[in-house]
Amino acid sequence: MTDRELIRAAFAVRERAYTPYSHFKVGAALLSKSGRVFAGCNIENAAFSPTICAERAALAAAVSAGEREFDAIAIVGSMEGRVNTLPTSPCGVCRQALFEFGGPELRVILARSEEDYQCLALGDLLPLGFGPANLAR
């Protein structure tokens, strides 16, 4: 799967986001090492803390389907009806959740469009991340 195809999947699921409070829609498409794509969108809640980010929604769908290893995630976000001037980066909680399954090598694609995107390693976004290796006996 190409980066653009993964970005396209993230844009498609972003349209399903439930954002009655922030009006900031986010879509994420997670590519497993087996080649499957799992999409997720953000789901807000009036109590705010139960809100689910798009990245963790995609991760939950993938893990629930039995996937545990991932190559890349594309993330897109913007206010309703607008194009962001800045890329949408995963929050700290999502970075940690992705680190658990992707480690520092996971490719994170931050896209404003299919043509305008940057690709980073998760380790660049979460240096010295805490993961399974930290608990090895």
Side-chain angles (χ1 to χ4, degrees):
M1 168 163 284
T2 69
D3 288 353
R4 287 185 179 190
E5 290 170 323
L6 200 59
I7 291 166
R8 196 173 305 126
F11 272 112
V13 74
R14 182 183 70 175
E15 296 309 310
R16 297 184 189 136
Y18 176 73
T19 59
Y21 309 105
S22 73
H23 305 285
F24 193 89
K25 296 181 175 289
V26 180
L30 183 62
L31 176 63
S32 72
K33 288 196 181 281
S34 70
R36 293 175 68 190
V37 174
F38 296 88
C41 59
N42 55 326
I43 305 165
E44 293 181 346
N45 187 287
F48 293 115
S49 62
T51 293
I52 300 169
C53 296
E55 300 90 334
R56 284 182 286 133
L59 183 61
V63 172
S64 295
E67 295 288 346
R68 299 283 194 275
E69 296 179 341
F70 305 98
D71 284 330
I73 186 167
I75 303 165
V76 300
S78 68
M79 294 296 291
E80 290 177 15
R82 290 197 229 157
V83 174
N84 270 3
T85 56
L86 297 172
T88 300
S89 183
C91 74
V93 173
C94 288
R95 292 175 194 204
Q96 182 60 49
L98 291 167
F99 193 89
E100 179 74 17
F101 295 96
E105 301 84 23
L106 181 73
R107 289 185 325 113
V108 180
I109 303 164
L110 307 177
R112 292 179 54 227
S113 71
E114 286 183 45
E115 295 79 28
D116 183 5
Y117 65 92
Q118 63 189 60
C119 187
L120 303 161
L122 182 58
D124 293 332
L125 295 173
L126 185 66
L128 301 173
F130 187 88
N134 294 96
L135 300 176
R137 295 178 191 213

